[in-house]
Every structure is written in structure tokens, then in C-alpha cells.
Amino acid sequence: MGIRILVTGGTFDKEYNELDGTLFFKETHMREMLELGRCKLNVDIRTIMMVDSLELTDADRNLIADQCRKTKEDKIIVTHGTDTMEVTAKKLGETITDKTIVLTGALIPYKFGSSDGLFNLGSALAFVQTLPTGVYIAMNGRYFHWGNVRKNRQTGQFEEIHIEGR
Amino acid sequence: MGIRILVTGGTFDKEYNELDGTLFFKETHMREMLELGRCKLNVDIRTIMMVDSLELTDADRNLIADQCRKTKEDKIIVTHGTDTMEVTAKKLGETITDKTIVLTGALIPYKFGSSDGLFNLGSALAFVQTLPTGVYIAMNGRYFHWGNVRKNRQTGQFEEIHIEGR
Amino acid sequence: MGIRILVTGGTFDKEYNELDGTLFFKETHMREMLELGRCKLNVDIRTIMMVDSLELTDADRNLIADQCRKTKEDKIIVTHGTDTMEVTAKKLGETITDKTIVLTGALIPYKFGSSDGLFNLGSALAFVQTLPTGVYIAMNGRYFHWGNVRKNRQTGQFEEIHIEGR
Amino acid sequence: MGIRILVTGGTFDKEYNELDGTLFFKETHMREMLELGRCKLNVDIRTIMMVDSLELTDADRNLIADQCRKTKEDKIIVTHGTDTMEVTAKKLGETITDKTIVLTGALIPYKFGSSDGLFNLGSALAFVQTLPTGVYIAMNGRYFHWGNVRKNRQTGQFEEIHIEGR
């Protein structure tokens, strides 16, 4: 049984429009990234949407959850903008408990050379193979359970909300 | 408790000598790669040696094993040339059973732009956090137990020696 | 006698802010680019301003013209945003006739990997050494006299306003 | 009338063989480089040979000279390994006087990310448009007449043999 990758957009897949200097979406670079990583996993990629995560609606999140439920694979990676990644993770975590779902993204677009995207993708693919069922965020080399994670807006890093033992 | 990264060289860290067109080692790019990946794990990097894995001797492998045993961390990543990665993995696997050790490397030097190194490093860091104690190779997005892995010289990929169920 | 490079900003030097996804200026990458090109010319770099060329005022253009007049070098490169490069070229061309001034820029920021910046810089440095006194734009591998050039907003390319012989 | 680019190989076009770690030639990256530079010049590319310049024979150099003579364009760029670039320049310079020929190359392969190739190509295309007939080498942002140039093996830079005024 393979791994399903659901693409929803986010910084990961943004490109620079050289005519007007804005950032935009064309299509996902997921295939290209997997080839660069010489990835030999059995992977099936589906683009659900291509949006900035600040613009994701409840309807969009329902659609993502639906897709996660319907896929035959029980190991799923969701690429997602980092700004509301924790919101989607919560949505998925509250309703899906029988699959391993890992959300990941990037702070720098893949096409911009200095992206963290390839590193994050490598870690997300490893986490999805080894973590028990549940919903997680994979960023900064770490994994976080959906119920205990937030993006720190000052640093751009992901962190636990509650630190164990405090 | 953090993660120890032991650097032994390999394609990962090779550079191009623009004066004579040969490949050589200067110093590891591990720190730079972790920064590119915005890695926030507690990581301690040590360069043990900088050699092509085809030139690794038994004494070198004993040294690597010694270092693995001595580190206080029980999660260890060893960067290593891919040509004899399986030999070192076997050496470590036969003698160290109380730590999680993940060997990884690259087919293309990190400095050459199109490297698989960042992807492999991301996956190795994830595997070392989640796999049970034992010695593994992380390449091509996958992990392999030390007792059941070889590099296919024709394709450059890692694969199981014995396929389950055959 | 060397070459003076006057930096005014433009896409050339834009960077991606990973905290909010906007583009911004930090400092010029000119030194880094010259090193990448193994440039051994006698070059003196001065940053006059760091602005998007759509925001350049008449006062800014007067300042650029002043700087061109005051430099002891008679070969000058001005890095500049492409959107109003032709306006500044005209301003300089109408008032400075005893120096060779070449304006150049980029459609993609240098830091984004797939930039045309290094190519344009190489050509601008060559043109400034070989063209007679006058003011020129160097883009797309070509050079254009200040009095006969515009940026085509549809294609992003520079072109002559009047084609000879038409 | 356009510009002819004659490809002969050299570091410019070398690639890394990930199976055995050697450098080899596949095909030229000239088209890709011109696209990256958004070059809009009328350019015609021909691959004559793909060799390391240390292996170039007299017969090879005769072939290059023949091709330079036969092309209808009178502006020609020859991409060439840097190690014997001065030898080929001399060969061409002694026999062809009615065209502008610029030899250029790179110290780092184009595919390796940190290449000087794009910078050199930009400058070579500018020099070939502006220099009088004759044979030149374009490297390090500079141009050198065929009769007064050598590669300094210690620094990797090109330099005049005779410095004017000494």
C-alpha cells in the first residue's frame, strides 16, 4: 500500500511572476521534488486546490477532510500553507482517527532555490511511514500532534502549545 | 535528549575543485543544510572523518562504531558515502543494539544544486526520531534494516535483499 | 581606471520575507554575484538607494544623475528596477554625454535561483567596457540606446521603439 | 545578422554521473542558459564536439577553425574548456581576421549551481556584438586579445602575458 499526497497549495508551490512581481500558483512541483530526492516510494499525488492558506474556507477544509477519508491509502501527506496549517490539522484530527496524516509545507517557495521544502518533504514522508494513526504537522525537522501545535508568528517556527512537564 | 550527527564524508560533502576539475572534501555542509531546512531539533554535529566510502578501512569502521557507542545520545545519524553504506550499517548493526542509528548520504554533492542530500537528511532525522532501536539506512525516501539492504549498482537505488513474501 | 557600479535596488536585489510572504530589500547581492562570476575587473560598488523602480521620484533620479556625474570613473553601471528603467535612462542620457553608462536589472530576484541577473550583469560589464560614451540599457543579451528603448509590459522584454528601416 | 554559438564542450557542459561519481558530457546546456538569461538575440547554436579541452587535438582545432570560417555569421562564440582555451584562440587568431570570435567557458559546470558560466556567457555575447573583428577570450568579466592571454594555473584566472607599459 502506498502513500497519498494531497496538494492544497501554500508557499511550497508559489512562483514568481516576472511580469508584475507578484507571487502566484501555476501547478505543483511535487513530482519534481520527489525526483530530486530520488524518492522510490509508491506515491500517488493529487492536487485538490492551489490556494494561499490564509484564504482557506471551512468548505475547503471539509473538502480536504473528505479527500483524506476517501483515499484508499491510510498514509496521507497534505501539503499546505503554514499560516493556517494548525487549523486544518485540528479539523482533520477531530474527525479522522484511523489514518496517519502528516501536514507539511514550506516557508520559502520551492522554486526560490533556498527553500526548506525538500527537507520538509523528506521528513514528512518518513514520519507518515513510521508514526501511529493520527494527524500531525511536520515542520522544522520535528513532528507535532494536531492537538498541541501552533505557528509562532514572530519566528516562523512551529512549537508545542503545552510543553510537557511544565 | 538530542540527536547526534556523525559526519564521515561521502558524496554528501564533496566539492568541485575549479583549478583541476576534481572532487574533494573541504568541510561538512551539515550546519548549512540544517539551517536551510529551518531545523529546530536539538542536534550535535561531529565530523569523524571526511572520506570516500570506497576508501573506508576496517579501522575506520571500528572508529565509527566506537563513536556511536560513546555518544550520550541514543539517536544517531551517520552521513556516509553510498558505495559501502551497507557494509558500515552491518558492522554497526551486529554490535550496537540499544540505540537508533540511521545512515544516510547522497548521490549528488550538496553543493551541486540538484542534490538529493536535503531530502535524505530530512527523512533521516524523522526516521531517527520514530524508529525503534536498531541500525537503518535512509535513502530514496525509504528506510531499510541493516540486515536486508544493498545498493543496486545499476540504478543507484537502495533495495531490500530479500523481499518479504517471495 | 575602473568601473563604478551604482546600486539603486530593483528586482535584482529583492528578497523573500519568509515571515509574511512579501518581497523586500535587505542589501545588495552585487559583491556575491561578482564573486560567483569570478569577476576580476577593478570595480567599485556603491549603494545609492534600495527601491522598487515604480516608486522612484524625480528627486531620486536627480540623485542618480548627480552620482553618475561625480564619480571619477567614466564607465558606470546602474542596477535598476526594470519597470521604469527607460525613464531613468532618458534622464541620464539627456544630461550626461561624456561617460559610458549602462543600466541593467533582472526580471527575477538574484536570490530566487532562476534569475537572469547574473547573465545581465555579465553583459552589462562587457558593454560598459566596449561601447562609446552614452547611456544604454543592457537587457535580454542586447543593448539599447536610451533614446530608443522601452519595456514591453506584455512580454517583459526590452525592445526598440523605432525599428530601423521600417 | 545573428550570432553563431559553436559548442566544443569544456567544464561548461560537464555533468555529474551519480552512479560512479565521475564527470561526463551528455549534451550542451546552452539553450537552457540562454532562456535563463531571457536572451532575445538571434542566436544559432551548433555542437561541434563535446570534449575536455585537455584532449583537443590539432585535428579538432582545425575543425573548429573550419566551422568558424564556414558560418555565414561574422559574430561567433566558441564555448571551450579553459585549460587550452588560449591554444585554440591562437590557432583561430592566426588564420581568421574578418570575423569577431569570442571564446568563453566556465570554471564550474553550469549544472553545479555555483557556476560562473551564465556570467561568462552574458559577457561573451556582449563582447561579440561590440568588439572589432579579431579573436578574443572572454573570462572573469574581461576580454583578452588572442595574442596576449594565458590561464594562470595557480589562480584559475586569465591574464595578459605582456602588461602594457611595463
Side-chain angles (χ1 to χ4, degrees), chain C residues 31 42 47 49-50 52 76 83 98 112 114 122 126 129 137 151-152:
Chain C
R31 180 69 54 198
N42 178 10
T47 301
M49 56 192 79
M50 283 294 258
D52 192 306
I76 302 170
D83 284 318
D98 58 343
F112 289 8
S114 59
Q129 294 175 71
I137 282 177
K151 183 178 174 184
N152 182 318

Side-chain angles (χ1 to χ4, degrees), chain B residues 8-162:
Chain B
T8 73
T11 297
F12 226 49
D13 277 327
K14 277 194 180 161
E15 306 201 27
Y16 184 76
N17 182 342
E18 66 186 60
L19 293 183
D20 65 7
T22 57
L23 299 168
F24 74 115
F25 293 111
K26 205 160 58 181
E27 49 187 61
T28 181
H29 305 96
M30 185 50 67
R31 180 69 55 198
E32 190 182 338
M33 294 172 75
L34 292 171
E35 278 167 17
L36 189 55
R38 274 84 180 150
C39 184
K40 300 300 167 190
L41 292 164
N42 178 10
V43 170
D44 190 341
I45 306 168
R46 300 289 165 91
T47 301
I48 310 184
M49 56 191 78
M50 285 293 259
V51 292
D52 191 307
S53 80
L54 288 173
E55 292 167 15
L56 276 178
T57 62
D58 278 353
D60 291 329
R61 291 200 168 85
N62 285 335
L63 179 59
I64 296 170
D66 269 356
Q67 290 287 321
C68 287
R69 264 183 233 105
K70 281 185 198 161
T71 59
K72 61 180 194 303
E73 294 90 348
D74 57 8
K75 295 178 185 306
I76 301 169
I77 287 176
V78 179
T79 70
H80 197 287
T82 60
D83 284 318
T84 67
M85 195 183 277
E86 65 207 54
V87 181
T88 304
K90 186 165 184 291
K91 173 83 182 181
L92 299 178
E94 287 173 343
T95 56
I96 307 176
T97 55
D98 59 345
K99 298 189 173 189
T100 302
I101 301 176
V102 177
L103 292 89
T104 195
L107 293 181
I108 302 264
Y110 172 67
K111 291 306 273 183
F112 289 8
S114 59
S115 175
D116 51 333
L118 196 63
F119 178 85
N120 294 340
L121 180 60
S123 74
L125 282 165
F127 284 132
V128 88
Q129 293 175 73
T130 50
L131 287 172
T133 57
V135 177
Y136 309 87
I137 281 177
M139 288 293 290
N140 305 125
R142 307 178 61 195
Y143 69 94
F144 302 88
H145 191 264
W146 66 268
N148 190 22
V149 58
R150 71 172 160 217
K151 183 178 174 185
N152 182 320
R153 312 281 152 198
Q154 269 68 53
T155 64
Q157 300 167 27
F158 283 78
E159 59 190 21
E160 286 91 357
I161 300 172
H162 318 286

